[in-house]
Amino acid sequence: MGFSEEFIRNATAEVVSQSVQPDYEFIKNVLKQALVNAARIAPYFDPNDVSIYLQGCYACKTNTRFQSKMEVIVEVTKTREYDYDTMTRADMKMRDNFFIDFEHYFDVKRFKDALANEITKLLHVDVAIGTTTILVPSFGNLQHTIDIFPCFKYKYFRPEGGSIRAKLVFDENIEEHFLMFTNLHTVNGNLKDSMTQGNFKRMVRFMKNLVAISAREDGIIHAIRGYYIECLLYNVPNEMYFTTDGKFLSVFLKVINWLNFASMDDFVCQNQIWSLWGSADGFWYQGAARQFINDVIEFYEAFPEKRTEIIKEDD
C-alpha cells in the first residue's frame, strides 16, 4: 500500500533527544575521573592528553526516535616523548602506534582494560567489553546505553601521498589493532548530505526507522546495524537523491531501485578508505546487503495504513 506523506515526514525528521546532553555530560565526567584513576595505575599517559567527544548517529544527526545507544570516543592524542638516539629501529616504529616505555609498551588493549576497570569502580555497575568498545548499560537516570571507544590518535599515510587522521582501536575477536576513520566518515557524510540537499541523511533516518518499525511489527526486515545502512546509502550516486516531483517517496523508490540492480563489488565504507565488504568488525557481506534491500522492498509493498502513526508513539 506504500507510505503516507505523514509517515514519511515523521520517519525522515531530524530528532532532538532531550536526554542526550545530560547523559553525555554525565558519562564525560565519569570518564574524566576514570582516566585520572587509570593513569595512576598505568602511568603511561597523561589524562590531559585525552579527548572525549561524541561520534556516531548523535554526532552525525542520523539518530531516530528508536535510538538508545550513544557512542563516545576516548582518544589519547599525545604520546610521551623519547630520545630517538636511544631507541632501536623496531622501537621507533612501535612508538608510532603505541606508548613505548623501553621495557614495556602500553597499547590500546591495556588502555581499554584499565579504563573499563575504573569505570566499573566509579559506577558500581557491570560494564561489558565489546569487540572494540566498553559498553555501559543504562541505569538510574542514564537513559542511553553508552558505547565507549578507547583509542589512540594515529596518522595514516596514504600510498598516493599525504596523511589523514585515524584512530587505532583494538578488536577483541581477532585480537589485533586496526584503524578507524571516524573523522572521514563524518566529513564525507556531511558533504554528501550537502550535495543531495539533505536527502542523504533523511534517507538514512528513514531506512533506520523502517528497520525499527519492522522489528516491532512484523520482522520482515532483518536486524542490521545503522552503520551498514549509512555506508550502503553513501554509495548511491548523488543524482539518485533528486526527482522531478521533489517528493521523498519518489526519491526512496529511485534509491531502492538503483540499489536493487547495482553491482556492489566496488562499494566502500563512508570513510572511502576500506571496502564495505569483509569479515572483520565494521565490514559487511554482499549477501546480507542484498537481503536487506529485498526486505525493504517487501516491507514497502506490504505496508498498511495503520502504521502511519507509529513513529509518534515515542515523542
Side-chain angles (χ1 to χ4, degrees):
M1 297 178 67
F3 306 129
S4 71
E5 290 187 7
E6 181 183 10
F7 175 82
I8 291 171
R9 281 196 303 271
N10 290 328
T12 58
E14 184 178 324
V15 178
V16 178
S17 173
Q18 300 301 317
S19 61
V20 169
Q21 197 60 34
D23 282 0
Y24 173 63
E25 291 301 328
F26 170 79
I27 201 65
K28 186 175 182 179
N29 288 332
V30 170
L31 287 169
K32 285 181 178 179
Q33 187 58 56
L35 288 165
V36 171
N37 296 348
R40 295 192 186 111
I41 298 169
Y44 302 103
F45 72 97
D46 185 339
N48 294 316
D49 294 329
V50 180
S51 293
I52 302 170
Y53 53 94
L54 278 174
Q55 77 154 15
C57 63
Y58 285 109
C60 296
K61 298 183 179 180
T62 56
N63 57 293
T64 70
R65 288 179 174 84
F66 298 99
Q67 211 80 35
S68 61
K69 185 180 290 186
M70 182 186 298
E71 298 177 4
V72 178
I73 292 287
V74 183
E75 181 182 24
V76 179
T77 60
K78 183 179 179 182
T79 61
R80 288 192 172 191
E81 298 299 328
Y82 293 95
D83 183 358
Y84 274 74
D85 293 336
T86 66
M87 296 174 70
T88 66
R89 179 167 295 182
D91 281 345
M92 290 174 66
K93 183 177 180 181
M94 183 71 80
R95 185 201 174 282
D96 291 336
N97 300 346
F98 308 114
F99 292 94
I100 299 301
D101 195 50
F102 297 108
E103 295 180 0
H104 312 88
Y105 70 89
F106 185 59
D107 63 9
V108 180
K109 176 172 173 52
R110 287 171 172 79
F111 177 56
K112 179 180 177 182
D113 290 344
L115 190 60
N117 288 336
E118 297 307 319
I119 293 171
T120 300
K121 292 176 186 176
L122 289 168
L123 295 181
H124 305 290
V125 296
D126 292 329
V127 302
I129 301 296
T131 304
T132 56
T133 66
I134 302 166
L135 182 63
V136 178
S138 58
F139 70 98
N141 293 326
L142 187 68
Q143 297 188 35
H144 296 78
T145 55
I146 312 291
D147 245 353
I148 299 168
F149 284 80
C151 59
F152 289 175
K153 184 178 180 179
Y154 192 96
K155 182 179 286 188
Y156 174 76
F157 292 92
R158 291 176 179 268
E160 62 271 24
S163 64
I164 53 177
R165 180 181 171 185
K167 296 176 179 65
L168 189 72
V169 298
F170 183 79
D171 188 313
E172 299 281 349
N173 291 339
I174 61 176
E175 296 185 341
E176 290 182 4
H177 292 82
F178 74 97
L179 295 178
M180 284 175 39
F181 298 91
T182 57
N183 298 79
L184 268 181
H185 178 99
T186 301
V187 169
N188 289 342
N190 289 341
L191 179 60
K192 189 173 187 75
D193 195 54
S194 175
M195 295 178 70
T196 59
Q197 295 182 5
N199 277 337
F200 169 61
K201 290 190 179 182
R202 289 190 192 100
M203 188 65 67
V204 172
R205 291 191 292 266
F206 188 70
M207 292 286 198
K208 288 165 72 172
N209 270 315
L210 297 190
V211 174
I213 293 168
S214 182
R216 285 170 37 155
E217 291 291 306
D218 51 34
I220 290 176
I221 304 177
H222 293 68
I224 176 177
R225 288 173 58 180
Y227 172 81
Y228 294 151
I229 293 174
E230 193 166 351
C231 288
L232 182 69
L233 293 172
Y234 181 79
N235 285 272
V236 177
N238 291 344
E239 58 266 26
M240 294 296 113
Y241 287 94
F242 296 93
T243 58
T244 54
D245 64 9
K247 293 183 178 180
F248 187 83
L249 179 59
S250 300
V251 175
F252 165 76
L253 293 173
K254 193 173 182 179
V255 166
I256 204 70
N257 282 325
W258 185 88
L259 285 169
N260 196 31
F261 295 101
S263 170
M264 298 184 177
D265 292 346
D266 296 328
F267 277 24
V268 294
C269 295
Q270 194 166 301
N271 57 46
Q272 291 191 336
I273 299 293
W274 309 131
S275 168
L276 182 54
W277 319 119
S279 57
D281 183 59
F283 297 92
W284 205 12
Y285 298 95
Q286 285 198 45
R290 292 290 180 195
Q291 180 67 59
F292 171 69
I293 294 164
N294 291 335
D295 290 348
V296 170
I297 293 171
E298 181 182 350
F299 183 85
Y300 169 74
E301 292 176 343
F303 192 83
E305 292 292 342
K306 70 180 180 67
R307 286 206 189 97
T308 56
E309 299 294 331
I310 196 168
I311 295 292
K312 291 186 176 180
E313 292 179 7
D314 296 87
D315 283 354

Short mmCIF file of all heavy atoms in Angstrom, two decimals, residues 30 33-34 37-38 40-41 113-127 139:
data_model
loop_
_atom_site.label_atom_id
_atom_site.label_comp_id
_atom_site.label_asym_id
_atom_site.label_seq_id
_atom_site.Cartn_x
_atom_site.Cartn_y
_atom_site.Cartn_z
N VAL A 30 32.34 11.06 34.31
CA VAL A 30 32.80 9.75 34.80
C VAL A 30 34.10 9.37 34.11
O VAL A 30 35.05 8.90 34.76
CB VAL A 30 31.72 8.67 34.56
CG1 VAL A 30 32.29 7.28 34.84
CG2 VAL A 30 30.50 8.93 35.43
N GLN A 33 37.25 11.25 35.43
CA GLN A 33 37.75 10.71 36.68
C GLN A 33 38.37 9.33 36.48
O GLN A 33 39.41 9.01 37.08
CB GLN A 33 36.62 10.62 37.72
CG GLN A 33 37.09 10.22 39.11
CD GLN A 33 38.14 11.18 39.67
OE1 GLN A 33 37.88 12.37 39.75
NE2 GLN A 33 39.31 10.66 40.05
N ALA A 34 37.76 8.51 35.63
CA ALA A 34 38.31 7.17 35.35
C ALA A 34 39.69 7.28 34.72
O ALA A 34 40.58 6.46 35.01
CB ALA A 34 37.35 6.41 34.43
N ASN A 37 42.22 8.09 37.45
CA ASN A 37 42.48 6.89 38.25
C ASN A 37 43.31 5.87 37.48
O ASN A 37 44.23 5.26 38.04
CB ASN A 37 41.16 6.25 38.68
CG ASN A 37 40.35 7.16 39.59
OD1 ASN A 37 40.85 8.17 40.08
ND2 ASN A 37 39.10 6.82 39.82
N ALA A 38 43.00 5.69 36.20
CA ALA A 38 43.73 4.71 35.39
C ALA A 38 45.18 5.13 35.19
O ALA A 38 46.08 4.28 35.16
CB ALA A 38 43.04 4.54 34.04
N ARG A 40 47.05 6.60 37.28
CA ARG A 40 47.84 6.29 38.48
C ARG A 40 48.31 4.83 38.47
O ARG A 40 49.40 4.52 38.92
CB ARG A 40 46.98 6.52 39.73
CG ARG A 40 46.58 7.97 39.96
CD ARG A 40 46.00 8.15 41.35
NE ARG A 40 45.46 9.50 41.55
CZ ARG A 40 44.18 9.77 41.68
NH1 ARG A 40 43.28 8.78 41.64
NH2 ARG A 40 43.76 11.00 41.84
N ILE A 41 47.46 3.96 37.92
CA ILE A 41 47.78 2.53 37.88
C ILE A 41 48.68 2.20 36.70
O ILE A 41 49.59 1.38 36.80
CB ILE A 41 46.48 1.71 37.81
CG1 ILE A 41 45.63 1.97 39.06
CG2 ILE A 41 46.76 0.22 37.67
CD1 ILE A 41 44.23 1.43 38.97
N ASP A 113 41.34 -1.91 28.93
CA ASP A 113 41.12 -2.71 30.14
C ASP A 113 41.22 -1.85 31.40
O ASP A 113 40.39 -1.98 32.32
CB ASP A 113 42.13 -3.86 30.22
CG ASP A 113 41.88 -4.94 29.16
OD1 ASP A 113 40.76 -4.95 28.60
OD2 ASP A 113 42.79 -5.73 28.91
N ALA A 114 42.23 -0.98 31.45
CA ALA A 114 42.41 -0.12 32.62
C ALA A 114 41.22 0.84 32.76
O ALA A 114 40.72 1.05 33.87
CB ALA A 114 43.71 0.67 32.49
N LEU A 115 40.75 1.38 31.66
CA LEU A 115 39.62 2.30 31.68
C LEU A 115 38.34 1.59 32.11
O LEU A 115 37.56 2.11 32.92
CB LEU A 115 39.44 2.93 30.30
CG LEU A 115 38.47 4.10 30.18
CD1 LEU A 115 38.89 5.26 31.07
CD2 LEU A 115 38.39 4.56 28.72
N ALA A 116 38.12 0.39 31.60
CA ALA A 116 36.92 -0.38 31.95
C ALA A 116 36.88 -0.70 33.44
O ALA A 116 35.82 -0.60 34.08
CB ALA A 116 36.87 -1.68 31.13
N ASN A 117 38.01 -1.04 34.00
CA ASN A 117 38.08 -1.35 35.44
C ASN A 117 37.71 -0.12 36.28
O ASN A 117 36.96 -0.23 37.27
CB ASN A 117 39.48 -1.83 35.82
CG ASN A 117 39.76 -3.23 35.30
OD1 ASN A 117 38.84 -4.01 35.05
ND2 ASN A 117 41.04 -3.55 35.13
N GLU A 118 38.21 1.03 35.90
CA GLU A 118 37.94 2.24 36.68
C GLU A 118 36.50 2.71 36.51
O GLU A 118 35.90 3.24 37.45
CB GLU A 118 38.92 3.35 36.28
CG GLU A 118 40.37 3.04 36.57
CD GLU A 118 40.59 2.62 38.03
OE1 GLU A 118 39.99 3.25 38.93
OE2 GLU A 118 41.36 1.67 38.26
N ILE A 119 35.92 2.54 35.32
CA ILE A 119 34.51 2.89 35.11
C ILE A 119 33.62 2.03 35.99
O ILE A 119 32.67 2.51 36.61
CB ILE A 119 34.13 2.73 33.62
CG1 ILE A 119 34.86 3.77 32.77
CG2 ILE A 119 32.62 2.88 33.44
CD1 ILE A 119 34.71 3.55 31.28
N THR A 120 33.95 0.74 36.05
CA THR A 120 33.17 -0.19 36.88
C THR A 120 33.20 0.23 38.35
O THR A 120 32.17 0.22 39.03
CB THR A 120 33.72 -1.62 36.73
OG1 THR A 120 33.63 -2.02 35.36
CG2 THR A 120 32.94 -2.60 37.59
N LYS A 121 34.37 0.62 38.82
CA LYS A 121 34.51 1.03 40.23
C LYS A 121 33.70 2.30 40.51
O LYS A 121 33.08 2.43 41.57
CB LYS A 121 35.98 1.28 40.55
CG LYS A 121 36.84 0.03 40.54
CD LYS A 121 38.30 0.41 40.77
CE LYS A 121 39.22 -0.79 40.61
NZ LYS A 121 40.65 -0.39 40.76
N LEU A 122 33.72 3.23 39.57
CA LEU A 122 33.04 4.51 39.79
C LEU A 122 31.52 4.39 39.71
O LEU A 122 30.80 5.03 40.47
CB LEU A 122 33.52 5.54 38.76
CG LEU A 122 34.95 6.05 38.94
CD1 LEU A 122 35.39 6.83 37.70
CD2 LEU A 122 35.06 6.95 40.17
N LEU A 123 31.02 3.58 38.78
CA LEU A 123 29.58 3.48 38.56
C LEU A 123 28.91 2.37 39.36
O LEU A 123 27.69 2.35 39.52
CB LEU A 123 29.28 3.26 37.06
CG LEU A 123 29.66 4.39 36.12
CD1 LEU A 123 29.30 4.03 34.68
CD2 LEU A 123 28.96 5.69 36.52
N HIS A 124 29.72 1.42 39.84
CA HIS A 124 29.19 0.26 40.58
C HIS A 124 28.19 -0.52 39.73
O HIS A 124 27.17 -1.02 40.23
CB HIS A 124 28.54 0.70 41.90
CG HIS A 124 29.43 1.51 42.78
ND1 HIS A 124 30.53 0.97 43.42
CD2 HIS A 124 29.41 2.84 43.11
CE1 HIS A 124 31.14 1.92 44.13
NE2 HIS A 124 30.48 3.05 43.94
N VAL A 125 28.46 -0.61 38.44
CA VAL A 125 27.66 -1.43 37.53
C VAL A 125 28.63 -2.28 36.71
O VAL A 125 29.81 -1.92 36.56
CB VAL A 125 26.78 -0.59 36.59
CG1 VAL A 125 25.74 0.19 37.37
CG2 VAL A 125 27.61 0.33 35.72
N ASP A 126 28.12 -3.38 36.21
CA ASP A 126 28.95 -4.25 35.37
C ASP A 126 28.98 -3.71 33.95
O ASP A 126 27.94 -3.59 33.30
CB ASP A 126 28.39 -5.68 35.38
CG ASP A 126 28.54 -6.36 36.73
OD1 ASP A 126 29.52 -6.04 37.43
OD2 ASP A 126 27.68 -7.18 37.08
N VAL A 127 30.16 -3.35 33.48
CA VAL A 127 30.31 -2.94 32.09
C VAL A 127 30.75 -4.15 31.28
O VAL A 127 31.39 -5.06 31.80
CB VAL A 127 31.33 -1.79 31.94
CG1 VAL A 127 30.90 -0.58 32.78
CG2 VAL A 127 32.74 -2.23 32.33
N PHE A 139 21.11 2.90 33.39
CA PHE A 139 20.72 2.62 34.77
C PHE A 139 20.40 3.96 35.44
O PHE A 139 20.90 5.01 35.03
CB PHE A 139 21.83 1.89 35.54
CG PHE A 139 23.03 2.75 35.83
CD1 PHE A 139 23.18 3.36 37.07
CD2 PHE A 139 24.00 2.97 34.86
CE1 PHE A 139 24.28 4.17 37.34
CE2 PHE A 139 25.10 3.77 35.13
CZ PHE A 139 25.24 4.37 36.38
#
